[in-house]
Amino acid sequence: SDLRGCGQPASLAHSLPLRPSLSPSRVKNTAPMPNLDPTTVMPILLACLSYVFTTLHTLRSEQHKSLVSRVSQQLQSLYGPLLACVTASKSSYEAMVRQFSGSATDQCPSAADFRAAVRRDPHGPAACAYRQWVREVLLPLSAKAADLIIARADLLEGTSIEPTLLQLVAHVSAYKVILRQWEQGAIDQVSAISYPDHIHEWISREFSRLKRRQAALLGLSGSGGLMRLAAYSKL
């Protein structure tokens, strides 16, 4: 056979690609880095930092406004009117007991005796006075409180409804039936669902707590403005 070069066949020798030569630009890039002018970089950096700070400040401000609005709505639309209703109901009940007992003092030591007298004699003066107070004063006030709880349950604190509030709603619903029975002559009927005696204490406590939170959010109490705004979640 005909051998060429290094003893390889001619066809094979012609088919081998030649190794391209490397240009100087491929071997080493010697282009110099551009010089950064501080007078150009600093304004850009400051603009970026200003944008980040403004965005965070705006977000924090919107969150704070939302919290203030939420607490204000809770006090105005639920806890405030609810406290007014149960306070008026409590004062009215005590006034009814005082009127029956003939006592002019603020305390009501005869409340248990009054309830016993109502149950003992449905036709007696205590029972008659009780039914009149229930129809004209006590039930309307409790019904307003129950309507607030049902309509504005979204403003309640926590993830569940306080059992005391549910008991009030059930108490009002039961007394609507009792009232109808009284009108039909069954004046000896009483509700099996009692009025929640601790509801006034509970609502007063929650109202005061929300007022403290509102004051902290608005910076109206204590000292150290930033500390007050950060302390609302602890109230």
Side-chain angles (χ1 to χ4, degrees):
S1 63
D2 186 11
L3 301 178
R4 297 181 182 181
C6 297
Q8 299 199 11
S11 60
L12 181 62
H14 285 291
S15 64
L16 292 175
L18 296 178
R19 183 178 181 182
S21 59
L22 298 177
S23 62
S25 61
R26 292 186 178 182
V27 176
K28 185 177 181 180
N29 187 1
T30 58
M33 294 294 292
N35 294 327
L36 298 178
D37 188 0
T39 60
T40 303
V41 174
M42 288 304 296
I44 297 176
L45 181 60
L46 290 175
C48 293
L49 292 176
S50 176
Y51 173 78
V52 173
F53 175 80
T54 302
T55 301
L56 293 176
H57 177 73
T58 302
L59 179 61
R60 180 66 181 273
S61 178
E62 291 299 323
Q63 291 175 341
H64 180 259
K65 290 179 180 179
S66 298
L67 288 170
V68 172
S69 177
R70 165 76 177 179
V71 173
S72 298
Q73 189 177 14
Q74 285 179 299
L75 290 169
Q76 181 179 1
S77 301
L78 178 61
Y79 286 90
L82 196 58
L83 179 60
C85 287
V86 298
T87 301
S89 180
K90 180 175 181 293
S91 300
S92 298
Y93 186 85
E94 293 173 353
M96 175 187 65
V97 175
R98 285 198 306 269
Q99 184 181 38
F100 170 76
S101 63
S103 173
T105 61
D106 292 334
Q107 297 181 350
C108 300
S110 61
D113 296 336
F114 177 81
R115 290 192 294 267
V118 171
R119 292 184 175 91
R120 184 171 57 250
D121 184 6
H123 298 276
C128 292
Y130 174 71
R131 288 192 295 270
Q132 184 177 3
W133 278 83
V134 168
R135 281 193 297 263
E136 302 298 332
V137 180
L138 298 177
L139 187 58
L141 287 172
S142 296
K144 287 182 180 180
D147 291 342
L148 284 169
I149 295 169
I150 295 172
R152 302 317 309 262
D154 59 308
L155 297 177
L156 290 170
E157 289 282 284
T159 58
S160 61
I161 300 180
E162 168 66 26
T164 302
L165 301 180
L166 295 176
Q167 184 178 349
L168 176 64
V169 175
H171 171 80
V172 170
S173 300
Y175 252 93
K176 289 180 180 179
V177 177
I178 297 297
L179 208 63
R180 180 62 59 87
Q181 292 175 338
W182 288 352
E183 294 173 356
Q184 296 174 354
I187 59 176
D188 58 335
Q189 295 297 314
V190 293
S191 175
I193 304 175
S194 62
Y195 183 88
D197 293 331
H198 301 291
I199 190 171
H200 182 266
E201 178 184 352
W202 183 86
I203 295 177
S204 297
R205 183 173 64 250
E206 291 299 305
F207 181 83
S208 298
R209 185 173 63 85
L210 284 173
K211 289 295 290 184
R212 291 195 302 269
R213 179 184 294 183
Q214 184 186 51
L217 287 169
L218 296 176
L220 300 177
S221 62
S223 60
L226 295 177
M227 293 294 292
R228 292 195 300 271
L229 294 178
Y232 74 90
S233 60
K234 299 179 181 179
L235 297 177

